[in-house]
Amino acid sequence: MSMPSPAITAFPTASSHPFEGVDLSLLAPEERRTINEAARDFQDVVAGKAPTFAKIDEDMPLPADGGTTFYVGRGYSLTIVRSLSSFGKLNGFVYGPIITFDSAFAPGNVRQITNTRFYTLEQMRDLLGRQ
């Protein structure tokens, strides 16, 4: 016997900051600025808004996937994934931000912070209509 799936009606909430709970005072002022600007852009996109700081990367080609766009910020790049997607009979979009910090700033194994999820067409309209 299969259990019914719970209905998902609310949008996920973003944390107040992708580095929440981390003491950023250990960083140089320019490094804090990079993280804070990237975090604000990240939160903007999760909320369905345009990024506050990053600007369109006019050198990147536009993918034919439903609307993924590329931005450049101070010390990071921002990809806003908006890709037409299907999972079984569910049709919609995978949407959300991917922040990639420059290798000089983040030389570790992982330089990305991401928050993508699946949205139906109606959910995307509601999310992007919040602007």
mmCIF file with all atom_site columns, all heavy atoms in Angstrom, residues 1 4 9 24 30-31 38 41 48 53 57 68 77-78 80 82-83 86 92 96 101-102 104 109 114 116 129:
data_model
loop_
_atom_site.group_PDB
_atom_site.id
_atom_site.type_symbol
_atom_site.label_atom_id
_atom_site.label_alt_id
_atom_site.label_comp_id
_atom_site.label_asym_id
_atom_site.label_entity_id
_atom_site.label_seq_id
_atom_site.pdbx_PDB_ins_code
_atom_site.Cartn_x
_atom_site.Cartn_y
_atom_site.Cartn_z
_atom_site.occupancy
_atom_site.B_iso_or_equiv
_atom_site.pdbx_formal_charge
_atom_site.auth_seq_id
_atom_site.auth_comp_id
_atom_site.auth_asym_id
_atom_site.auth_atom_id
_atom_site.pdbx_PDB_model_num
ATOM 1   N N   . MET A 1 1   ? 0.853  -1.170 0.000   1.00 0.00 ? 1   MET A N   1
ATOM 2   C CA  . MET A 1 1   ? 0.000  0.000  0.000   1.00 0.00 ? 1   MET A CA  1
ATOM 3   C C   . MET A 1 1   ? 0.893  1.225  0.000   1.00 0.00 ? 1   MET A C   1
ATOM 4   O O   . MET A 1 1   ? 1.817  1.346  0.809   1.00 0.00 ? 1   MET A O   1
ATOM 5   C CB  . MET A 1 1   ? -0.878 -0.030 1.241   1.00 0.00 ? 1   MET A CB  1
ATOM 6   C CG  . MET A 1 1   ? -1.650 1.240  1.419   1.00 0.00 ? 1   MET A CG  1
ATOM 7   S SD  . MET A 1 1   ? -3.064 1.099  2.502   1.00 0.00 ? 1   MET A SD  1
ATOM 8   C CE  . MET A 1 1   ? -2.361 1.060  4.095   1.00 0.00 ? 1   MET A CE  1
ATOM 9   N N   . PRO A 1 4   ? -0.022 8.363  0.428   1.00 0.00 ? 4   PRO A N   1
ATOM 10  C CA  . PRO A 1 4   ? -0.201 9.546  -0.410  1.00 0.00 ? 4   PRO A CA  1
ATOM 11  C C   . PRO A 1 4   ? 0.882  10.572 -0.091  1.00 0.00 ? 4   PRO A C   1
ATOM 12  O O   . PRO A 1 4   ? 1.310  10.704 1.057   1.00 0.00 ? 4   PRO A O   1
ATOM 13  C CB  . PRO A 1 4   ? -1.590 10.063 -0.026  1.00 0.00 ? 4   PRO A CB  1
ATOM 14  C CG  . PRO A 1 4   ? -1.891 9.445  1.296   1.00 0.00 ? 4   PRO A CG  1
ATOM 15  C CD  . PRO A 1 4   ? -1.105 8.173  1.381   1.00 0.00 ? 4   PRO A CD  1
ATOM 16  N N   . THR A 1 9   ? 2.329  23.282 -1.103  1.00 0.00 ? 9   THR A N   1
ATOM 17  C CA  . THR A 1 9   ? 1.706  24.505 -1.585  1.00 0.00 ? 9   THR A CA  1
ATOM 18  C C   . THR A 1 9   ? 2.564  25.725 -1.315  1.00 0.00 ? 9   THR A C   1
ATOM 19  O O   . THR A 1 9   ? 2.490  26.694 -2.042  1.00 0.00 ? 9   THR A O   1
ATOM 20  C CB  . THR A 1 9   ? 0.328  24.710 -0.926  1.00 0.00 ? 9   THR A CB  1
ATOM 21  O OG1 . THR A 1 9   ? 0.496  24.691 0.494   1.00 0.00 ? 9   THR A OG1 1
ATOM 22  C CG2 . THR A 1 9   ? -0.631 23.619 -1.338  1.00 0.00 ? 9   THR A CG2 1
ATOM 23  N N   . LEU A 1 24  ? 31.880 36.146 9.847   1.00 0.00 ? 24  LEU A N   1
ATOM 24  C CA  . LEU A 1 24  ? 32.545 36.728 8.687   1.00 0.00 ? 24  LEU A CA  1
ATOM 25  C C   . LEU A 1 24  ? 33.561 37.799 9.073   1.00 0.00 ? 24  LEU A C   1
ATOM 26  O O   . LEU A 1 24  ? 34.284 38.297 8.207   1.00 0.00 ? 24  LEU A O   1
ATOM 27  C CB  . LEU A 1 24  ? 31.515 37.312 7.719   1.00 0.00 ? 24  LEU A CB  1
ATOM 28  C CG  . LEU A 1 24  ? 30.516 36.325 7.128   1.00 0.00 ? 24  LEU A CG  1
ATOM 29  C CD1 . LEU A 1 24  ? 29.529 37.049 6.212   1.00 0.00 ? 24  LEU A CD1 1
ATOM 30  C CD2 . LEU A 1 24  ? 31.230 35.203 6.383   1.00 0.00 ? 24  LEU A CD2 1
ATOM 31  N N   . GLU A 1 30  ? 37.012 43.398 1.823   1.00 0.00 ? 30  GLU A N   1
ATOM 32  C CA  . GLU A 1 30  ? 36.647 43.085 0.437   1.00 0.00 ? 30  GLU A CA  1
ATOM 33  C C   . GLU A 1 30  ? 36.091 41.668 0.322   1.00 0.00 ? 30  GLU A C   1
ATOM 34  O O   . GLU A 1 30  ? 35.166 41.413 -0.457  1.00 0.00 ? 30  GLU A O   1
ATOM 35  C CB  . GLU A 1 30  ? 37.855 43.259 -0.486  1.00 0.00 ? 30  GLU A CB  1
ATOM 36  C CG  . GLU A 1 30  ? 37.519 43.166 -1.949  1.00 0.00 ? 30  GLU A CG  1
ATOM 37  C CD  . GLU A 1 30  ? 36.544 44.234 -2.455  1.00 0.00 ? 30  GLU A CD  1
ATOM 38  O OE1 . GLU A 1 30  ? 36.480 45.340 -1.881  1.00 0.00 ? 30  GLU A OE1 1
ATOM 39  O OE2 . GLU A 1 30  ? 35.837 43.942 -3.427  1.00 0.00 ? 30  GLU A OE2 1
ATOM 40  N N   . GLU A 1 31  ? 36.611 40.733 1.109   1.00 0.00 ? 31  GLU A N   1
ATOM 41  C CA  . GLU A 1 31  ? 36.097 39.364 1.107   1.00 0.00 ? 31  GLU A CA  1
ATOM 42  C C   . GLU A 1 31  ? 34.685 39.311 1.692   1.00 0.00 ? 31  GLU A C   1
ATOM 43  O O   . GLU A 1 31  ? 33.813 38.614 1.169   1.00 0.00 ? 31  GLU A O   1
ATOM 44  C CB  . GLU A 1 31  ? 37.034 38.447 1.887   1.00 0.00 ? 31  GLU A CB  1
ATOM 45  C CG  . GLU A 1 31  ? 38.389 38.269 1.229   1.00 0.00 ? 31  GLU A CG  1
ATOM 46  C CD  . GLU A 1 31  ? 39.386 37.525 2.093   1.00 0.00 ? 31  GLU A CD  1
ATOM 47  O OE1 . GLU A 1 31  ? 39.279 37.594 3.348   1.00 0.00 ? 31  GLU A OE1 1
ATOM 48  O OE2 . GLU A 1 31  ? 40.267 36.864 1.516   1.00 0.00 ? 31  GLU A OE2 1
ATOM 49  N N   . ALA A 1 38  ? 27.146 38.350 -2.898  1.00 0.00 ? 38  ALA A N   1
ATOM 50  C CA  . ALA A 1 38  ? 26.741 37.065 -3.478  1.00 0.00 ? 38  ALA A CA  1
ATOM 51  C C   . ALA A 1 38  ? 25.539 36.499 -2.722  1.00 0.00 ? 38  ALA A C   1
ATOM 52  O O   . ALA A 1 38  ? 24.589 35.990 -3.333  1.00 0.00 ? 38  ALA A O   1
ATOM 53  C CB  . ALA A 1 38  ? 27.906 36.077 -3.456  1.00 0.00 ? 38  ALA A CB  1
ATOM 54  N N   . ASP A 1 41  ? 22.349 38.373 -3.689  1.00 0.00 ? 41  ASP A N   1
ATOM 55  C CA  . ASP A 1 41  ? 21.885 37.944 -5.010  1.00 0.00 ? 41  ASP A CA  1
ATOM 56  C C   . ASP A 1 41  ? 21.250 36.560 -4.939  1.00 0.00 ? 41  ASP A C   1
ATOM 57  O O   . ASP A 1 41  ? 20.214 36.297 -5.561  1.00 0.00 ? 41  ASP A O   1
ATOM 58  C CB  . ASP A 1 41  ? 23.037 37.950 -6.015  1.00 0.00 ? 41  ASP A CB  1
ATOM 59  C CG  . ASP A 1 41  ? 23.444 39.347 -6.433  1.00 0.00 ? 41  ASP A CG  1
ATOM 60  O OD1 . ASP A 1 41  ? 22.688 40.318 -6.190  1.00 0.00 ? 41  ASP A OD1 1
ATOM 61  O OD2 . ASP A 1 41  ? 24.543 39.485 -7.012  1.00 0.00 ? 41  ASP A OD2 1
ATOM 62  N N   . GLY A 1 48  ? 12.591 34.783 -6.289  1.00 0.00 ? 48  GLY A N   1
ATOM 63  C CA  . GLY A 1 48  ? 12.002 35.055 -7.591  1.00 0.00 ? 48  GLY A CA  1
ATOM 64  C C   . GLY A 1 48  ? 12.289 36.452 -8.117  1.00 0.00 ? 48  GLY A C   1
ATOM 65  O O   . GLY A 1 48  ? 11.616 36.924 -9.025  1.00 0.00 ? 48  GLY A O   1
ATOM 66  N N   . PHE A 1 53  ? 23.097 42.862 -7.062  1.00 0.00 ? 53  PHE A N   1
ATOM 67  C CA  . PHE A 1 53  ? 24.465 43.303 -7.347  1.00 0.00 ? 53  PHE A CA  1
ATOM 68  C C   . PHE A 1 53  ? 25.022 42.795 -8.670  1.00 0.00 ? 53  PHE A C   1
ATOM 69  O O   . PHE A 1 53  ? 25.656 43.546 -9.401  1.00 0.00 ? 53  PHE A O   1
ATOM 70  C CB  . PHE A 1 53  ? 25.405 42.892 -6.203  1.00 0.00 ? 53  PHE A CB  1
ATOM 71  C CG  . PHE A 1 53  ? 25.062 43.553 -4.908  1.00 0.00 ? 53  PHE A CG  1
ATOM 72  C CD1 . PHE A 1 53  ? 24.403 42.859 -3.909  1.00 0.00 ? 53  PHE A CD1 1
ATOM 73  C CD2 . PHE A 1 53  ? 25.383 44.875 -4.685  1.00 0.00 ? 53  PHE A CD2 1
ATOM 74  C CE1 . PHE A 1 53  ? 24.071 43.469 -2.715  1.00 0.00 ? 53  PHE A CE1 1
ATOM 75  C CE2 . PHE A 1 53  ? 25.060 45.512 -3.497  1.00 0.00 ? 53  PHE A CE2 1
ATOM 76  C CZ  . PHE A 1 53  ? 24.399 44.801 -2.499  1.00 0.00 ? 53  PHE A CZ  1
ATOM 77  N N   . ASP A 1 57  ? 25.952 38.770 -17.686 1.00 0.00 ? 57  ASP A N   1
ATOM 78  C CA  . ASP A 1 57  ? 27.223 38.450 -18.344 1.00 0.00 ? 57  ASP A CA  1
ATOM 79  C C   . ASP A 1 57  ? 26.954 38.381 -19.839 1.00 0.00 ? 57  ASP A C   1
ATOM 80  O O   . ASP A 1 57  ? 26.497 37.358 -20.352 1.00 0.00 ? 57  ASP A O   1
ATOM 81  C CB  . ASP A 1 57  ? 27.777 37.123 -17.814 1.00 0.00 ? 57  ASP A CB  1
ATOM 82  C CG  . ASP A 1 57  ? 29.154 36.811 -18.337 1.00 0.00 ? 57  ASP A CG  1
ATOM 83  O OD1 . ASP A 1 57  ? 29.607 37.474 -19.300 1.00 0.00 ? 57  ASP A OD1 1
ATOM 84  O OD2 . ASP A 1 57  ? 29.800 35.893 -17.793 1.00 0.00 ? 57  ASP A OD2 1
ATOM 85  N N   . THR A 1 68  ? 17.636 29.905 -18.562 1.00 0.00 ? 68  THR A N   1
ATOM 86  C CA  . THR A 1 68  ? 18.814 30.050 -17.713 1.00 0.00 ? 68  THR A CA  1
ATOM 87  C C   . THR A 1 68  ? 19.585 31.290 -18.142 1.00 0.00 ? 68  THR A C   1
ATOM 88  O O   . THR A 1 68  ? 19.758 31.541 -19.331 1.00 0.00 ? 68  THR A O   1
ATOM 89  C CB  . THR A 1 68  ? 19.710 28.799 -17.804 1.00 0.00 ? 68  THR A CB  1
ATOM 90  O OG1 . THR A 1 68  ? 18.980 27.697 -17.246 1.00 0.00 ? 68  THR A OG1 1
ATOM 91  C CG2 . THR A 1 68  ? 21.015 28.971 -17.038 1.00 0.00 ? 68  THR A CG2 1
ATOM 92  N N   . SER A 1 77  ? 30.382 34.452 -9.922  1.00 0.00 ? 77  SER A N   1
ATOM 93  C CA  . SER A 1 77  ? 29.405 34.451 -11.007 1.00 0.00 ? 77  SER A CA  1
ATOM 94  C C   . SER A 1 77  ? 28.111 33.862 -10.461 1.00 0.00 ? 77  SER A C   1
ATOM 95  O O   . SER A 1 77  ? 28.121 33.088 -9.502  1.00 0.00 ? 77  SER A O   1
ATOM 96  C CB  . SER A 1 77  ? 29.914 33.659 -12.210 1.00 0.00 ? 77  SER A CB  1
ATOM 97  O OG  . SER A 1 77  ? 30.116 32.314 -11.872 1.00 0.00 ? 77  SER A OG  1
ATOM 98  N N   . LEU A 1 78  ? 27.020 34.253 -11.065 1.00 0.00 ? 78  LEU A N   1
ATOM 99  C CA  . LEU A 1 78  ? 25.696 33.795 -10.657 1.00 0.00 ? 78  LEU A CA  1
ATOM 100 C C   . LEU A 1 78  ? 25.013 33.210 -11.874 1.00 0.00 ? 78  LEU A C   1
ATOM 101 O O   . LEU A 1 78  ? 24.897 33.877 -12.904 1.00 0.00 ? 78  LEU A O   1
ATOM 102 C CB  . LEU A 1 78  ? 24.882 34.972 -10.105 1.00 0.00 ? 78  LEU A CB  1
ATOM 103 C CG  . LEU A 1 78  ? 23.382 34.746 -9.910  1.00 0.00 ? 78  LEU A CG  1
ATOM 104 C CD1 . LEU A 1 78  ? 23.120 33.711 -8.830  1.00 0.00 ? 78  LEU A CD1 1
ATOM 105 C CD2 . LEU A 1 78  ? 22.687 36.059 -9.576  1.00 0.00 ? 78  LEU A CD2 1
ATOM 106 N N   . ILE A 1 80  ? 21.411 31.747 -12.946 1.00 0.00 ? 80  ILE A N   1
ATOM 107 C CA  . ILE A 1 80  ? 20.021 31.552 -12.550 1.00 0.00 ? 80  ILE A CA  1
ATOM 108 C C   . ILE A 1 80  ? 19.482 30.456 -13.463 1.00 0.00 ? 80  ILE A C   1
ATOM 109 O O   . ILE A 1 80  ? 19.243 30.675 -14.646 1.00 0.00 ? 80  ILE A O   1
ATOM 110 C CB  . ILE A 1 80  ? 19.190 32.839 -12.675 1.00 0.00 ? 80  ILE A CB  1
ATOM 111 C CG1 . ILE A 1 80  ? 19.795 33.940 -11.798 1.00 0.00 ? 80  ILE A CG1 1
ATOM 112 C CG2 . ILE A 1 80  ? 17.734 32.557 -12.290 1.00 0.00 ? 80  ILE A CG2 1
ATOM 113 C CD1 . ILE A 1 80  ? 19.106 35.285 -11.945 1.00 0.00 ? 80  ILE A CD1 1
ATOM 114 N N   . ARG A 1 82  ? 16.901 28.157 -14.992 1.00 0.00 ? 82  ARG A N   1
ATOM 115 C CA  . ARG A 1 82  ? 15.458 28.130 -15.281 1.00 0.00 ? 82  ARG A CA  1
ATOM 116 C C   . ARG A 1 82  ? 15.318 27.218 -16.480 1.00 0.00 ? 82  ARG A C   1
ATOM 117 O O   . ARG A 1 82  ? 15.293 27.658 -17.616 1.00 0.00 ? 82  ARG A O   1
ATOM 118 C CB  . ARG A 1 82  ? 14.917 29.518 -15.572 1.00 0.00 ? 82  ARG A CB  1
ATOM 119 C CG  . ARG A 1 82  ? 13.418 29.525 -15.787 1.00 0.00 ? 82  ARG A CG  1
ATOM 120 C CD  . ARG A 1 82  ? 12.897 30.921 -15.967 1.00 0.00 ? 82  ARG A CD  1
ATOM 121 N NE  . ARG A 1 82  ? 11.500 30.898 -16.314 1.00 0.00 ? 82  ARG A NE  1
ATOM 122 C CZ  . ARG A 1 82  ? 10.805 31.970 -16.617 1.00 0.00 ? 82  ARG A CZ  1
ATOM 123 N NH1 . ARG A 1 82  ? 11.381 33.148 -16.602 1.00 0.00 ? 82  ARG A NH1 1
ATOM 124 N NH2 . ARG A 1 82  ? 9.538  31.863 -16.922 1.00 0.00 ? 82  ARG A NH2 1
ATOM 125 N N   . SER A 1 83  ? 15.242 25.934 -16.202 1.00 0.00 ? 83  SER A N   1
ATOM 126 C CA  . SER A 1 83  ? 15.302 24.926 -17.245 1.00 0.00 ? 83  SER A CA  1
ATOM 127 C C   . SER A 1 83  ? 14.005 24.140 -17.313 1.00 0.00 ? 83  SER A C   1
ATOM 128 O O   . SER A 1 83  ? 13.521 23.641 -16.291 1.00 0.00 ? 83  SER A O   1
ATOM 129 C CB  . SER A 1 83  ? 16.470 23.968 -16.961 1.00 0.00 ? 83  SER A CB  1
ATOM 130 O OG  . SER A 1 83  ? 16.603 23.042 -17.985 1.00 0.00 ? 83  SER A OG  1
ATOM 131 N N   . SER A 1 86  ? 11.005 17.705 -16.930 1.00 0.00 ? 86  SER A N   1
ATOM 132 C CA  . SER A 1 86  ? 9.901  16.767 -16.723 1.00 0.00 ? 86  SER A CA  1
ATOM 133 C C   . SER A 1 86  ? 10.389 15.640 -15.832 1.00 0.00 ? 86  SER A C   1
ATOM 134 O O   . SER A 1 86  ? 11.509 15.150 -15.985 1.00 0.00 ? 86  SER A O   1
ATOM 135 C CB  . SER A 1 86  ? 9.426  16.184 -18.054 1.00 0.00 ? 86  SER A CB  1
ATOM 136 O OG  . SER A 1 86  ? 8.896  17.184 -18.869 1.00 0.00 ? 86  SER A OG  1
ATOM 137 N N   . GLY A 1 92  ? 7.430  21.101 -15.849 1.00 0.00 ? 92  GLY A N   1
ATOM 138 C CA  . GLY A 1 92  ? 7.633  22.410 -15.257 1.00 0.00 ? 92  GLY A CA  1
ATOM 139 C C   . GLY A 1 92  ? 9.050  22.887 -15.461 1.00 0.00 ? 92  GLY A C   1
ATOM 140 O O   . GLY A 1 92  ? 9.624  22.726 -16.543 1.00 0.00 ? 92  GLY A O   1
ATOM 141 N N   . GLY A 1 96  ? 16.502 28.141 -9.799  1.00 0.00 ? 96  GLY A N   1
ATOM 142 C CA  . GLY A 1 96  ? 17.208 28.582 -8.607  1.00 0.00 ? 96  GLY A CA  1
ATOM 143 C C   . GLY A 1 96  ? 18.602 29.097 -8.918  1.00 0.00 ? 96  GLY A C   1
ATOM 144 O O   . GLY A 1 96  ? 19.088 29.003 -10.047 1.00 0.00 ? 96  GLY A O   1
ATOM 145 N N   . PHE A 1 101 ? 32.082 31.042 -6.780  1.00 0.00 ? 101 PHE A N   1
ATOM 146 C CA  . PHE A 1 101 ? 33.099 32.018 -6.397  1.00 0.00 ? 101 PHE A CA  1
ATOM 147 C C   . PHE A 1 101 ? 34.338 31.841 -7.263  1.00 0.00 ? 101 PHE A C   1
ATOM 148 O O   . PHE A 1 101 ? 34.672 30.726 -7.674  1.00 0.00 ? 101 PHE A O   1
ATOM 149 C CB  . PHE A 1 101 ? 33.443 31.870 -4.912  1.00 0.00 ? 101 PHE A CB  1
ATOM 150 C CG  . PHE A 1 101 ? 32.323 32.305 -4.003  1.00 0.00 ? 101 PHE A CG  1
ATOM 151 C CD1 . PHE A 1 101 ? 31.454 31.374 -3.463  1.00 0.00 ? 101 PHE A CD1 1
ATOM 152 C CD2 . PHE A 1 101 ? 32.125 33.642 -3.711  1.00 0.00 ? 101 PHE A CD2 1
ATOM 153 C CE1 . PHE A 1 101 ? 30.409 31.759 -2.639  1.00 0.00 ? 101 PHE A CE1 1
ATOM 154 C CE2 . PHE A 1 101 ? 31.078 34.048 -2.885  1.00 0.00 ? 101 PHE A CE2 1
ATOM 155 C CZ  . PHE A 1 101 ? 30.221 33.102 -2.353  1.00 0.00 ? 101 PHE A CZ  1
ATOM 156 N N   . ASP A 1 102 ? 35.020 32.939 -7.549  1.00 0.00 ? 102 ASP A N   1
ATOM 157 C CA  . ASP A 1 102 ? 36.259 32.897 -8.327  1.00 0.00 ? 102 ASP A CA  1
ATOM 158 C C   . ASP A 1 102 ? 37.270 32.001 -7.624  1.00 0.00 ? 102 ASP A C   1
ATOM 159 O O   . ASP A 1 102 ? 37.331 31.967 -6.387  1.00 0.00 ? 102 ASP A O   1
ATOM 160 C CB  . ASP A 1 102 ? 36.846 34.297 -8.486  1.00 0.00 ? 102 ASP A CB  1
ATOM 161 C CG  . ASP A 1 102 ? 35.959 35.224 -9.321  1.00 0.00 ? 102 ASP A CG  1
ATOM 162 O OD1 . ASP A 1 102 ? 34.970 34.745 -9.912  1.00 0.00 ? 102 ASP A OD1 1
ATOM 163 O OD2 . ASP A 1 102 ? 36.267 36.434 -9.357  1.00 0.00 ? 102 ASP A OD2 1
ATOM 164 N N   . ALA A 1 104 ? 40.420 32.281 -7.237  1.00 0.00 ? 104 ALA A N   1
ATOM 165 C CA  . ALA A 1 104 ? 41.386 32.997 -6.388  1.00 0.00 ? 104 ALA A CA  1
ATOM 166 C C   . ALA A 1 104 ? 40.807 33.246 -4.999  1.00 0.00 ? 104 ALA A C   1
ATOM 167 O O   . ALA A 1 104 ? 41.530 33.265 -4.003  1.00 0.00 ? 104 ALA A O   1
ATOM 168 C CB  . ALA A 1 104 ? 41.787 34.318 -7.041  1.00 0.00 ? 104 ALA A CB  1
ATOM 169 N N   . ASN A 1 109 ? 37.860 22.605 -2.911  1.00 0.00 ? 109 ASN A N   1
ATOM 170 C CA  . ASN A 1 109 ? 37.261 21.619 -3.813  1.00 0.00 ? 109 ASN A CA  1
ATOM 171 C C   . ASN A 1 109 ? 35.919 22.064 -4.375  1.00 0.00 ? 109 ASN A C   1
ATOM 172 O O   . ASN A 1 109 ? 35.578 21.758 -5.506  1.00 0.00 ? 109 ASN A O   1
ATOM 173 C CB  . ASN A 1 109 ? 37.087 20.281 -3.104  1.00 0.00 ? 109 ASN A CB  1
ATOM 174 C CG  . ASN A 1 109 ? 38.409 19.628 -2.802  1.00 0.00 ? 109 ASN A CG  1
ATOM 175 O OD1 . ASN A 1 109 ? 39.377 19.817 -3.518  1.00 0.00 ? 109 ASN A OD1 1
ATOM 176 N ND2 . ASN A 1 109 ? 38.464 18.874 -1.723  1.00 0.00 ? 109 ASN A ND2 1
ATOM 177 N N   . THR A 1 114 ? 24.392 26.362 -4.110  1.00 0.00 ? 114 THR A N   1
ATOM 178 C CA  . THR A 1 114 ? 23.237 26.262 -4.999  1.00 0.00 ? 114 THR A CA  1
ATOM 179 C C   . THR A 1 114 ? 21.951 26.006 -4.232  1.00 0.00 ? 114 THR A C   1
ATOM 180 O O   . THR A 1 114 ? 21.978 25.468 -3.119  1.00 0.00 ? 114 THR A O   1
ATOM 181 C CB  . THR A 1 114 ? 23.474 25.154 -6.056  1.00 0.00 ? 114 THR A CB  1
ATOM 182 O OG1 . THR A 1 114 ? 22.392 25.130 -6.958  1.00 0.00 ? 114 THR A OG1 1
ATOM 183 C CG2 . THR A 1 114 ? 23.655 23.809 -5.417  1.00 0.00 ? 114 THR A CG2 1
ATOM 184 N N   . THR A 1 116 ? 18.501 24.894 -6.087  1.00 0.00 ? 116 THR A N   1
ATOM 185 C CA  . THR A 1 116 ? 17.546 24.690 -7.168  1.00 0.00 ? 116 THR A CA  1
ATOM 186 C C   . THR A 1 116 ? 16.478 23.707 -6.718  1.00 0.00 ? 116 THR A C   1
ATOM 187 O O   . THR A 1 116 ? 16.724 22.862 -5.860  1.00 0.00 ? 116 THR A O   1
ATOM 188 C CB  . THR A 1 116 ? 18.223 24.146 -8.447  1.00 0.00 ? 116 THR A CB  1
ATOM 189 O OG1 . THR A 1 116 ? 18.862 22.906 -8.151  1.00 0.00 ? 116 THR A OG1 1
ATOM 190 C CG2 . THR A 1 116 ? 19.232 25.144 -8.989  1.00 0.00 ? 116 THR A CG2 1
ATOM 191 N N   . GLY A 1 129 ? 5.969  36.222 -10.247 1.00 0.00 ? 129 GLY A N   1
ATOM 192 C CA  . GLY A 1 129 ? 5.009  37.311 -10.155 1.00 0.00 ? 129 GLY A CA  1
ATOM 193 C C   . GLY A 1 129 ? 5.168  38.148 -8.907  1.00 0.00 ? 129 GLY A C   1
ATOM 194 O O   . GLY A 1 129 ? 4.571  39.200 -8.771  1.00 0.00 ? 129 GLY A O   1
#
